[in-house]
């Protein structure tokens, strides 16, 4: 399948890995938008947040637990933001479900 993040998961494209287990991979974003910016993706190819359903949703809970653990390890005690862009208007550019984790500066709200 011609999917950038599936290729990163398979090790065909290099990434700066932060965490990996049998279900998920976390790696640093290639174009960071904050001092800390990493992505957490399910190893299963799920095309977008709109494709989350009763069959595949357990990995989403796991991803949030992994993010909380990584935030502790990275000492993000001042806080962080988790973002999942969906579709064209949501700003999604890679068609494999991913959760951005942004931290290290005060993040504007609402986003632009
Ligand atoms: P989105 O725009 O929400 O679909 O997010 C896709 C993210 O993937 C962007 O923040 C990109 O900077 C990031 N990205 C694209 N290619 C790579 C790559 N090879 N390694 C790490 N991050 C990437
Ligand atoms: Zn994929």
């Amino acid at each position: 399948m011609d999917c950038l993040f599936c290729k990163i998961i398979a090790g065909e494209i290099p990434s700066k890995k932060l965490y990996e287990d049998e279900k998920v991979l976390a790696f640093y974003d290639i174009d960071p938008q904050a001092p800390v910016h990493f992505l957490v993706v399910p190893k299963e190819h799920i095309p977008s947040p709109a494709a989350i359903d009763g069959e595949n949703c357990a990995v989403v809970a796991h991803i949030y637990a992994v993010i909380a653990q990584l935030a502790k390890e990275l000492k993000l005690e001042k806080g962080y933001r988790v973002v999942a862009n969906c579709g064209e208007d949501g700003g999604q550019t890679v068609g494999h479900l991913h959760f951005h984790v942004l931290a290290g500066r005060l993040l504007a709200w609402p986003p632009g």
Side-chain angles (χ1 to χ4, degrees), residues 85-93:
N85 295 325
C86 183
E88 192 182 345
D89 279 3
Q92 185 180 2
T93 60

Side-chain angles (χ1 to χ4, degrees), residues 51-65:
I52 296 169
D53 61 22
E55 295 290 307
N56 63 22
C57 65
V59 74
V60 177
H62 180 58
I63 283 170
Y64 271 87

Side-chain angles (χ1 to χ4, degrees), residues 4-5 8 13-15 27-31 33 37 39 85 91-94 98 100:
L4 175 64
F5 289 172
I8 286 177
I13 291 175
S15 69
F27 54 97
Y28 284 100
D29 197 291
I30 205 168
D31 181 22
Q33 302 301 311
H37 185 180
L39 304 172
N85 295 325
Q92 185 180 2
T93 60
V94 177
H98 52 282
H100 297 258

Side-chain angles (χ1 to χ4, degrees), residues 54-78:
E55 295 290 307
N56 63 22
C57 65
V59 74
V60 177
H62 180 58
I63 283 170
Y64 271 87
V66 166
I67 289 170
Q69 186 58 43
L70 291 174
K72 278 197 197 89
E73 289 172 21
L74 295 172
K75 304 192 189 320
L76 306 181
E77 56 271 304
K78 284 192 82 182

Side-chain angles (χ1 to χ4, degrees), residues 33-52:
Q33 302 301 311
V36 177
H37 185 180
F38 61 88
L39 304 172
V40 189
V41 305
K43 289 190 169 176
E44 178 187 356
H45 179 84
I46 299 171
S48 90
I52 296 169

